Amino acid sequence: MEFSEALLKFQLNWPHFFAVFCLVVVVYKSSVFVLRKRDAQRNVEAFPGPKPSWLFGHVMQFKQDGTDLDKFVKWGEQYPYAFPTWFGPLACYLNIHHPDYAKTILVSSEPKCDLAYKFLGAWIGKTALPFSPPAYFVLLFFFSCFSYSHSYCLFLCSGDGLLLSKGQKWFRHRRLLTPGFHYEVLKPYVTQMAESTMVMLNKWESFAKTNKTFELFEQVSLMTLDSIMKCAFSYNSNCQTEGGTNTYIKAVYELSHLSNFRFRTFPYHNDLIFYLSPHGFRYRKAARVAHSHTNEVIRKRKETLQEVNELSRIQAKRNLDFLDILLFARDEQQQGLSDEDIRAEVDTFMFEGHDTTASGISFALYCLACNPQHQKICRDEINEVLGGKDTMDWEDLSKIPYTTMCIKESLRLYPPVPGTARRITKPMTFFDGRTLPAGFRIGISVFGIHRNATVWENPDVFDPLRFLPENVSKRSPHAFVPFAAGPRNCIGQNFAMNEMKVAIALTLKRYELIEDPTFKPKIITRLILRSLNGIHIKIKPVNPVE
């Protein structure tokens, strides 16, 4: 009887209990919000910057129309070295745009910022959802009530590839993966890169005959994806000729697109909203397809290598690929990588190895189209080196110095990764004495450093002679950082430079690139540097020797 009466009282009074609970949560969250806001403002008092909105920060000043990166450069002219940038009321980054400041963070091994990179976790991490959906919703509700973080990443990843990992795990994986980028391993990749490039150039015959303007980036992206599949898996995807019918290729494209879309759609920064959305469903479906494919490739390769216990025995029969290196990687205790670690690293290599190089190659070709005098010097150099060959060999890569300088200058003007972000684990003091506390987010604007007028004379002008050895020696080594620098620099930078040299050399040997002044790229950051309206040029055939 007493229990029934208590239950009846609870049923009558539960709205009051719920109202009190909600009030407590609101008061708690409001108090935490005010304290965090005050702390964040105090932490950047020493760094003046553009005035933010109290609620939206600087977000409303970014128009997503192709002018946002130029805005950062303009702000950099007003606020030397660094300035704070606010994304909403609490998320603040110190935006660095000078090599002397960048050096302080780049020489460290501080981890990548969780907010900037977490959206890739379900793809290049280990698992997509460690909880069942009901448990996920309960946990997310609990954390949303009693945590001041706006997003919790409960479903994103329980482990990461090299891009996202940190601490001892990052250090161990970096050491184990480094042999995969030894020049002896990279050498045979040149032939595969050339094969993929020739497929693309054969497709361009129709554009050369019609003299019509065409969009570069999508074509180049398919080529680099085809190339990375060959180098990472020894897998011929035929993605350039099959018109996107391959399920794995479609999944990779979908994941790249949805990662970009989520990053620029602020409500989707919340895990629960994204999980329940149609885009979240598509993302998880594509991640399952990509993971299933990669797991199957790893399983089959393990079966093939069951009888082999040394890389040298494989190399005697065929060229090594990235997957071979991962499967045979061992630390001092003779411990290798788990299947999940291997899959995460392969997926990371797939992401970092095709989109970034596609951006670099596309903007380099555009720069050469806009600068025919430099294009001609490159073509003469390439024809002299290659002679009558229709392909490129490893030895040829070091014989095209002017072309290499042009590639570097395009990477300066249009860095494929226009910015990177870290979250410092200990207080950091810069050369002028200004300090940031542990836990603060730092954004390194590669685009801002490369366009800084105090570092580069006439920074918007395409001038490859900046990279003559005598000119390079006069600058800070952190003035040109398209692949970052220090211990967390891009492990695949030699792979990327090789592919850019191959693709650009073979393209210039076959076609003259012509600017279409009616199509100017509207550059924007979508994880990598892209153009809102595409990258357009015209081409026409050239004679083998000019």
Side-chain angles (χ1 to χ4, degrees):
M1 188 67 178
E2 291 178 0
F3 175 77
S4 300
E5 289 177 357
L7 182 61
L8 180 61
K9 286 182 180 179
F10 175 78
Q11 289 173 338
L12 291 173
N13 293 322
W14 78 264
H16 301 288
F17 289 130
F18 183 72
V20 170
F21 172 77
C22 290
L23 180 62
V24 170
V25 169
V26 169
V27 171
Y28 171 77
K29 294 277 281 185
S30 300
S31 302
V32 169
F33 175 85
V34 170
L35 290 173
R36 283 196 72 205
K37 180 75 175 177
R38 189 181 302 161
D39 285 345
Q41 289 174 328
R42 189 185 300 120
N43 290 334
V44 292
E45 279 180 342
F47 298 92
K51 185 176 177 59
S53 157
W54 186 87
L55 181 61
F56 297 106
H58 296 104
V59 170
M60 303 305 289
Q61 299 184 49
F62 302 135
K63 305 300 182 184
Q64 301 286 308
D65 60 356
T67 63
D68 292 340
L69 286 168
D70 291 331
K71 188 185 296 292
F72 273 95
V73 174
K74 292 292 183 186
W75 283 344
E77 293 171 358
Q78 300 174 52
Y79 307 103
Y81 298 109
F83 56 86
T85 309
W86 293 81
F87 293 87
L90 297 178
C92 182
Y93 285 80
L94 181 70
N95 187 72
I96 290 173
H97 59 90
H98 192 280
D100 291 345
Y101 255 54
K103 177 183 177 181
T104 305
I105 184 72
L106 289 175
V107 298
S108 73
S109 57
E110 296 289 23
K112 297 291 177 72
C113 173
D114 51 351
L115 184 61
Y117 292 93
K118 69 175 186 175
F119 303 141
L120 300 171
W123 177 13
I124 60 179
K126 282 187 181 178
T127 59
L129 183 62
F131 309 108
S132 64
Y136 175 78
F137 297 143
V138 171
L139 285 167
L140 191 56
F141 176 73
F142 175 81
F143 280 111
S144 66
C145 289
F146 295 103
S147 172
Y148 47 73
S149 175
H150 76 286
S151 189
Y152 313 97
C153 265
L154 292 178
F155 82 92
L156 287 182
C157 54
S158 63
D160 308 305
L162 196 61
L163 177 66
L164 304 182
S165 59
K166 55 189 176 182
Q168 283 302 309
K169 178 175 181 178
W170 168 81
F171 182 78
R172 177 176 182 263
H173 281 218
R174 176 84 182 203
R175 193 156 34 85
L176 291 177
L177 266 61
T178 296
F181 297 91
H182 189 271
Y183 77 93
E184 286 293 346
V185 177
L186 296 178
K187 191 182 294 187
Y189 290 172
V190 172
T191 301
Q192 296 167 325
M193 293 169 179
E195 289 173 357
S196 296
T197 302
M198 292 306 293
V199 173
M200 179 184 73
L201 297 180
N202 289 338
K203 289 169 62 182
W204 286 8
E205 281 288 347
S206 58
F207 302 124
K209 290 175 182 176
T210 59
N211 196 35
K212 288 184 178 179
T213 300
F214 70 100
E215 203 284 315
L216 270 181
F217 190 92
E218 186 176 346
Q219 305 261 346
V220 175
S221 185
L222 272 176
M223 183 275 290
T224 57
L225 188 55
D226 183 31
S227 178
I228 206 75
M229 293 285 283
K230 292 174 182 175
C231 298
F233 293 152
S234 296
Y235 179 78
N236 290 312
S237 67
N238 300 316
C239 63
Q240 295 192 78
T241 54
E242 287 184 357
T245 57
N246 184 292
T247 56
Y248 177 68
I249 300 303
K250 288 170 68 176
V252 169
Y253 258 71
E254 181 86 332
L255 289 165
S256 294
H257 166 72
L258 291 172
S259 296
N260 284 317
F261 184 73
R262 185 182 182 191
F263 183 75
R264 67 180 190 268
T265 307
F266 283 98
Y268 281 174
H269 287 197
N270 181 281
D271 289 342
L272 181 59
I273 293 174
F274 185 68
Y275 185 89
L276 293 174
S277 72
H279 294 99
F281 174 79
R282 283 169 52 192
Y283 189 97
R284 294 192 301 279
K285 182 179 178 182
R288 284 195 298 270
V289 172
H291 293 168
S292 175
H293 174 89
T294 311
N295 287 334
E296 183 65 11
V297 170
I298 292 170
R299 184 188 65 78
K300 288 182 178 178
R301 181 65 62 84
K302 278 193 162 186
E303 288 178 358
T304 304
L305 300 179
Q306 228 166 14
E307 305 299 321
V308 184
N309 53 20
E310 291 181 6
L311 279 174
S312 56
R313 292 176 60 187
I314 303 172
Q315 205 162 11
K317 298 179 179 179
R318 60 171 174 81
N319 294 322
L320 297 177
D321 62 21
F322 185 63
L323 187 52
D324 291 322
I325 304 296
L326 290 176
L327 289 170
F328 280 88
R330 296 291 183 272
D331 58 20
E332 293 83 355
Q333 287 75 42
Q334 293 303 303
Q335 296 297 310
L337 298 169
S338 69
D339 285 353
E340 283 193 323
D341 282 333
I342 292 169
R343 200 266 301 148
E345 297 299 355
V346 170
D347 286 336
T348 299
F349 190 41
M350 286 293 302
F351 165 70
E352 287 196 285
H354 97 271
D355 245 12
T356 51
T357 49
S359 176
I361 292 168
S362 298
F363 280 108
L365 294 175
Y366 173 75
C367 285
L368 290 169
C370 296
N371 295 274
Q373 71 279 24
H374 296 298
Q375 182 186 157
K376 185 179 187 310
I377 297 172
C378 291
R379 183 175 294 107
D380 291 343
E381 177 183 69
I382 290 160
N383 283 329
E384 184 177 346
V385 171
L386 298 186
K389 292 192 301 183
D390 289 327
T391 188
M392 200 163 187
D393 300 319
W394 172 263
E395 293 74 19
D396 300 325
L397 297 177
S398 60
K399 299 176 183 178
I400 49 172
Y402 198 87
T403 305
T404 302
M405 289 194 297
C406 286
I407 291 172
K408 288 181 177 179
E409 178 66 347
S410 72
L411 290 174
R412 183 189 69 82
L413 287 169
Y414 301 101
V417 181
T420 184
R422 305 281 183 88
R423 189 160 192 166
I424 56 177
T425 59
K426 53 184 178 293
M428 184 164 285
T429 302
F430 297 98
F431 78 95
D432 57 2
R434 291 187 287 183
T435 301
L436 286 176
F440 208 86
R441 298 182 179 101
I442 295 178
I444 303 164
S445 176
V446 176
F447 189 90
I449 292 171
H450 287 184
R451 300 270 185 146
N452 191 323
T454 66
V455 179
W456 305 90
E457 186 178 352
N458 298 320
D460 296 329
V461 174
F462 183 86
D463 180 11
L465 298 183
R466 301 178 198 272
F467 291 94
L468 285 170
E470 57 267 30
N471 292 332
V472 172
S473 64
K474 298 173 187 175
R475 288 192 302 267
S476 163
H478 295 91
F480 178 65
V481 285
F483 302 106
R488 289 202 75 133
N489 68 348
C490 175
I491 195 173
Q493 59 184 288
N494 289 329
F495 177 95
M497 280 299 294
N498 292 348
E499 185 162 28
M500 290 187 71
K501 289 180 184 180
V502 170
I504 289 163
L506 294 180
T507 301
L508 292 183
K509 181 175 173 61
R510 188 161 171 179
Y511 297 118
E512 181 181 342
L513 313 178
I514 304 165
E515 178 191 12
D516 185 339
T518 61
F519 287 95
K520 294 287 185 183
K522 297 179 179 180
I523 56 173
I524 196 163
T525 301
R526 292 286 186 263
L527 297 179
I528 62 163
L529 193 72
R530 294 175 181 266
S531 169
L532 279 174
N533 57 336
I535 305 172
H536 295 78
I537 62 169
K538 296 179 181 181
I539 59 173
K540 67 179 184 180
V542 296
N543 295 323
V545 179
E546 295 186 350

